[in-house]
Amino acid sequence: MKKLGHSFYQRDAEKLARDLVGTILVRRVRGRECRARIVEAEAYLGPHDLASHSSKGRTKRTEVMFGPAGHAYVYLVYGMYEMFNIVAGKTGGGQAVLIRAAEPLNGWKADLSGPGKLTRAFKITRDLNGLDLTGDTLYLVYDPDYRPRTRRAKRIGVEYAREWKNELLRFYDDRSTAVTHRFRP
DNA sequence: GCGTCGATGGCA
DNA sequence: GCCATCGACGCG
């Protein structure tokens, strides 16, 4: 299976979010390796998208969102949960994809059915903010043998985003049990 | 199964 | 004063 390179991430966030469903996330920490299949992802389109952090402009927090694609954007929400995003599109575009859920592989038992649970299990914290995802500690691989049944729906937890709250920018694998039942249309 | 609520800290 | 959340609790 092939590691995803920078060119894969340089597509627009909406397309990247769809294409990331079914790929495999790999985490290496202290000689151990964890793998999981991504089953849910959300696109955040840039400064014009009121749900996107980049709509607040370029700040210390959002800086990496405006950086090159294929890097990790990790931030803290509700004082206790880290969110793992992948920067997408052209440099300066402020686009990213939030990884919301995954299914553990290789006999690994873990509940990855939510963005906060996923980062906890993968030990993804803010010290990985800005990390190049084509390196060895956190990266993705393409699985040519898996064909997800991908559906799209509204994003979660963006009620504040006015008309943008209704955009169908969340993509999930309909075959996965890790996508919470209540988040299905 | 569902609605409600509190935890907890960085940010503008 | 918000949050790109989660888990505990009460219901009947």
Side-chain angles (χ1 to χ4, degrees):
Chain A
M1 287 190 282
K2 201 161 180 282
K3 184 187 288 190
L4 300 180
H6 285 117
S7 62
F8 183 87
Y9 300 106
Q10 285 160 3
R11 65 198 72 189
D12 287 339
E14 183 169 351
K15 180 155 180 25
L16 180 63
R18 175 182 276 282
D19 292 346
L20 282 175
V21 173
T23 64
I24 295 172
L25 181 62
V26 184
R27 171 77 165 123
R28 282 202 183 132
V29 48
R30 292 195 302 275
R32 304 185 80 86
E33 186 183 275
C34 295
R35 288 178 176 247
R37 186 180 309 286
I38 292 173
V39 297
E40 189 177 31
E42 277 177 0
Y44 290 85
L45 302 190
H48 61 294
D49 174 3
L50 296 181
S52 175
H53 287 176
S54 55
S55 69
K56 304 292 187 187
R58 212 183 262 256
T59 68
K60 177 170 279 187
R61 183 210 219 182
T62 62
E63 188 60 35
V64 304
M65 271 192 92
F66 290 95
H71 288 247
Y73 168 45
V74 186
Y75 66 90
L76 186 73
V77 74
Y78 299 118
M80 53 186 107
Y81 299 106
E82 319 267 356
M83 297 288 107
F84 171 50
N85 301 251
I86 298 174
V87 178
K90 295 190 170 77
T91 299
Q95 299 188 42
V97 173
L98 170 68
I99 306 303
R100 287 196 59 89
E103 285 185 356
L105 299 173
N106 306 341
W108 180 32
K109 302 295 183 194
D111 180 5
L112 310 176
S113 63
K117 298 185 208 176
L118 185 149
T119 54
R120 205 189 315 144
F122 269 98
K123 302 196 192 323
I124 296 173
T125 55
R126 281 163 290 166
D127 53 86
L128 298 185
N129 190 35
L131 181 74
D132 187 341
L133 297 175
T134 62
D136 287 332
T137 64
L138 185 63
Y139 59 94
L140 287 89
V141 297
Y142 177 67
D143 180 359
D145 298 323
Y146 188 79
R147 299 265 175 261
R149 182 172 296 279
T150 306
R151 301 213 191 288
R152 60 189 301 167
K154 294 179 186 178
R155 293 175 291 186
I156 306 295
V158 295
E159 295 306 304
Y160 59 88
R162 318 232 295 174
E163 71 271 21
W164 285 91
K165 75 179 187 212
N166 294 319
E167 293 293 314
L168 304 178
L169 292 173
R170 178 166 57 98
F171 297 88
Y172 64 94
D173 184 351
D174 198 42
R175 311 213 304 244
S176 173
T177 55
V179 180
T180 312
H181 178 66
R182 54 192 287 217
F183 289 160
R184 293 169 184 270

